[in-house]
């Protein structure tokens, strides 16, 4: 099994989802064997989200380089979740195809910046995964 790293796109069991199911996630940051991940959604639920929260969903168009997408999708930077590395390893061990691809460095940076600026991200998670640089 290859090393798991930020930017990887993984199919994981999303027990946090309104309807628990396998969802594609992007691993955004790592700290002490835990990964902060964001869901990839097919649609944007505009009725349920304020304009401010809609802005926290990055639109990714399906391209030949984004083989992990089946169609244009939205990256939900509003509500990231923490996964233990064991959950990720188990998913890949169950089916190697659950390791679906990797974001580019620019895509990952855009996702991280959006997650860091989310007003709904708990401060403890922000400090854990995005510590301020020491002066």
């Amino acid at each position: 099994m290859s090393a798991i790293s930020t930017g990887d796109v993984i199919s994981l069991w999303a027990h946090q989802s309104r309807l628990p199911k396998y969802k594609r996630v992007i691993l955004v940051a790592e700290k002490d064997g835990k990964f902060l991940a964001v869901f990839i959604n097919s649609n944007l639920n505009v009725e349920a989200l304020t304009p401010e929260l809609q802005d926290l969903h990055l639109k990714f168009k399906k391209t030949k380089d984004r083989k992990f997408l089946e169609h244009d999708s939205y990256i939900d930077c509003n509500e990231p979740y923490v996964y233990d590395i064991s959950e990720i390893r188990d998913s890949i061990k169950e089916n190697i195809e659950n390791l679906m691809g990797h974001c580019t460095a620019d895509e990952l940076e855009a996702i991280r910046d959006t997650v860091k600026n989310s007003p709904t991200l708990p401060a403890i998670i922000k400090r854990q995964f995005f510590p301020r640089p020491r002066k």
Side-chain angles (χ1 to χ4, degrees), residues 5 8 17 26 30 49 55 60 63 65 70-71 89 116:
S5 63
D8 284 347
S17 181
I26 299 172
E30 186 270 335
L49 298 169
D55 289 344
F60 270 35
T63 65
D65 296 325
E70 292 180 12
H71 42 72
R89 283 188 182 134
K116 283 190 265 189

Side-chain angles (χ1 to χ4, degrees), residues 8 11-12 19 21 25-26 30 58-59 72 76 79 90 110 128:
D8 284 347
S11 178
L12 289 174
L19 299 170
K21 60 183 174 181
V25 303
I26 299 172
E30 186 270 335
L58 303 178
K59 185 167 186 175
D72 293 355
D76 182 356
E79 199 169 7
D90 289 348
Q128 179 181 1

Side-chain angles (χ1 to χ4, degrees), residues 100-115:
M100 305 187 79
H102 196 84
C103 289
T104 67
D106 288 342
E107 291 168 339
L108 183 58
E109 191 60 34
I111 294 166
R112 281 184 176 152
D113 287 346
T114 306
V115 168

Side-chain angles (χ1 to χ4, degrees), residues 20-111:
K21 60 183 174 181
Y22 277 92
K23 288 189 68 88
R24 293 170 194 201
V25 303
I26 299 172
L27 305 180
V28 176
E30 186 270 335
K31 179 73 174 179
D32 299 328
K34 304 241 184 249
F35 281 89
L36 190 65
V38 293
F39 288 157
I40 299 175
N41 294 322
S42 299
N43 300 301
L44 182 63
N45 187 349
V46 293
E47 290 87 28
L49 298 169
T50 65
E52 178 185 35
L53 295 181
Q54 288 177 35
D55 289 344
L56 297 173
H57 291 73
L58 303 178
K59 185 167 186 175
F60 270 35
K61 292 198 171 283
K62 168 72 175 150
T63 65
K64 65 178 175 60
D65 296 325
R66 291 182 177 149
K67 295 182 186 344
F68 54 87
L69 294 180
E70 292 180 12
H71 42 72
D72 293 355
S73 301
Y74 293 88
I75 312 305
D76 182 356
C77 301
N78 171 51
E79 199 169 7
Y81 292 97
V82 177
Y83 284 94
D84 191 86
I85 193 166
S86 64
E87 293 176 87
I88 298 165
R89 283 188 182 134
D90 289 348
S91 181
I92 296 169
K93 195 181 299 181
E94 179 183 305
N95 183 349
I96 191 64
E97 291 181 6
N98 285 343
L99 178 57
M100 305 187 79
H102 196 84
C103 289
T104 67
D106 288 342
E107 291 168 339
L108 183 58
E109 191 60 34
I111 294 166

